[in-house]
Amino acid sequence: MTLFVQNDSTGAGVGTPDPMRALADLTEIANLDTGLGLGAVTGNLQAVTYLRTTTGPPPERLSTLVNTVVLNGVHIIILAVPANFVLNDGLLITKVGGVAIPPGDPLNGTTSCLVIYDTSSNNGSGYCVARGNSSTLDLPVPTSVALYHELSHAFRIVRQMSLARTQTCNPSSPEERAAIIDENDMRTQLATRDGVPVVLRNPATHCGASGCGGGSCCIVASVSSGSSSSAEVAELRALRDQFLRKSEIGFAFFDRLHYVYYGFSPQVVTIMSADPGLKSTVLNGLVRPLIEMLKLVRDYAIDAVPSGDLARRLTDHFTHSGDWATERALADRAGGIVRGDGHVDLSSAERAIAELLMSRAIPDPHIRWALVEPIRAYEYLLGCWRQGEPLEAIGKELDAYLIDWAGQLPIDARWATLDTDSLRIELDMLESTLLRDPKARQTFMCRLIARYMEVGSIRTVVSERGILT
C-alpha cells in the first residue's frame, strides 16, 4: 500500500487532522465506489484500501496511488486539516488551501510525501480560481477537488517526475498546469455525476482568491439524492449559511457538528453504496424530513413565523408529499433507524446504519440536537397527523417541541472565551431568534450558568438578564 491517512500532525505542523473527512473526499474521488476503505490504525496512520470497480480518470488514478509500489518506498500521506492548522513554517493552511510536500523538504518532518489540505474551505468563504479561458477568479474549489489537485502533485513527486515550478501564478508553471489539467478530470466527474454542465478551470493561470464559496455540505444528502448539486443539498447548505454561520457561537457549533458528522458519515455512504435501495429510505425518511424541520426552525427563529402557521405548512407538506403508503413505510423504517429499537423489521444495511448512529452519532449532543431530534420530531408530528389530530393540536405540539428543543442548544467551550461585550452580542442574537420564548431562554441561561459559573463574564451577562440565582 502506498497511500495513507494520518490522524495527528506529526512531521507536518500543528493541529488535529480528521481522517474520516479525508475518507469522505476520497470517496468523491472514487466516484462513490464501494471498493474504497481504510485499514486498521497503525500508529498515527491508516492505509487507504481500494479495489476499484468504477472507471474514469480519478478512480483509476486513485487505484494507482493505492495499489502501486512506488520508487524508493516513498509513500503518500494525506492530512485533512481544519482552518487553524499551522504548517511547519508557521503559515496557516488557509493561506495556501493545500500543499504537497516532498520528503527532504524543510517543511516535511517525515520520509513520505505529505499532502495537506484545508477541509474548512477557507472558513466557509471558499477558494476561487479562474474558469475556462478567463482570468476572473470566480470558480469555487470543492474540498475533493482540492485534494485531487494535491494528489496530482504527489503522484509526480513520488515518481521523481515533478515538472518545473515558478514563483508566479500567471502564467502557471508547468507543474501547476499539469495539476490543473488533472483537477479538471475531477471537475468533469463531479459535474457528470450531478447532471450539471461541466465547468473547467483555466490551466493557464494558477492564481487564486477567496470569497466564492464552494464548501462541501452533507455527503449523505449528496449520495442519497444522487447529486452534490441537488435541491436537498442546496437546502442544507442554505440552512447552514443562513442560520448556523451567523455568529461566533454559530461557527463554533458548526465546526463541532462538522467534525463529528464526518466521523461517521463516510461509513453511512459506504453502506448505502452497497445497498442502492437504501438510498430512498435515507433520502425520503431521513434527509428530507430533516430539511423540512430545519426550515421550520429557521422560519420560526429568523422570521418569527407563528407556530400555528408552521403547523399548517407542515400538514400541507404531509398531504402533498406523495404516495401515502410509500411515505408511511419510509417514515416507519427511518424511525426505526433513528430510534435504534426493535419495533421495525430493518434490513441488515438499515440495522448497520442504526448501530452506527447509536454508537457514533447520537451520543454527541451536537448531532443529537441538530440532526436526530428534528427527525424524531418530524416522525412524531407525522404520527399525530396520521391519527387525525386537528391542526390546532399539532400546532401546540410543534410549539412545545420548538421551545424545549431551543432551550437545549448545546453549550460549547467557545462561550467561556468570549469577553462581556461579545457575550451580550451573542445572547442578544439568540434571544431575538431561537430563544425568543421566555421558557426556552430561561432553560438555556440556567444551563449556561450551571456550566460556567466560575467564568466572570458569563456570570455578569446572565445576571444582567435576571437569571442568576
Side-chain angles (χ1 to χ4, degrees), residues 34 36 67 177 191 247 287 333:
T34 59
L36 183 73
N67 298 308
R177 183 181 181 89
S247 67
V287 173
R333 303 194 76 77

Side-chain angles (χ1 to χ4, degrees), residues 152-163 175 178-179 182:
S152 173
H153 290 309
F155 179 80
R156 285 182 292 281
I157 288 172
V158 296
R159 285 157 179 76
Q160 300 178 353
M161 296 170 58
S162 293
L163 305 175
E175 176 60 30
D182 283 345

Side-chain angles (χ1 to χ4, degrees), residues 203-373:
T205 174
H206 183 242
C207 299
S210 63
C212 58
S216 59
C217 180
C218 191
I219 188 173
V220 172
S222 298
V223 174
S224 62
S225 65
S227 172
S228 57
S229 301
S230 68
E232 290 78 14
V233 176
E235 285 284 2
L236 286 172
R237 186 176 288 115
L239 287 164
R240 176 198 67 187
D241 295 338
Q242 295 170 9
F243 194 57
L244 288 177
R245 286 178 165 172
K246 287 295 184 182
S247 67
E248 289 190 55
I249 292 300
F251 264 99
F253 176 88
F254 180 78
D255 282 349
R256 177 60 189 174
L257 179 71
H258 184 271
Y259 175 79
V260 178
Y261 174 77
Y262 276 100
F264 69 87
S265 58
Q267 293 99 312
V268 175
V269 170
T270 299
I271 295 169
M272 282 195 298
S273 298
D275 184 356
L278 186 56
K279 291 182 182 180
S280 180
T281 301
V282 171
L283 177 63
N284 295 291
L286 298 176
V287 173
R288 286 176 176 164
L290 172 64
I291 291 171
E292 192 64 28
M293 289 302 297
L294 292 181
K295 285 163 64 178
L296 295 181
V297 168
R298 178 194 61 196
D299 294 344
Y300 168 84
I302 296 178
D303 297 332
V305 176
S307 57
D309 292 343
L310 295 177
R312 183 176 296 104
R313 187 181 306 172
L314 184 60
T315 56
D316 286 345
H317 166 77
F318 291 153
T319 303
H320 299 101
S321 59
D323 176 71
W324 175 236
T326 300
E327 292 294 320
R328 180 173 61 186
L330 287 171
D332 288 343
R333 303 194 76 77
I337 291 173
V338 297
R339 287 192 307 269
D341 58 28
H343 297 300
V344 180
D345 184 19
L346 301 178
S347 69
S348 59
E350 289 167 339
R351 284 197 303 274
I353 290 182
E355 291 168 1
L356 188 60
L357 292 179
M358 291 299 122
S359 63
R360 300 289 298 277
I362 291 176
D364 181 83
H366 300 76
I367 295 291
R368 189 168 60 249
W369 185 82
L371 304 183
V372 176
E373 291 302 333

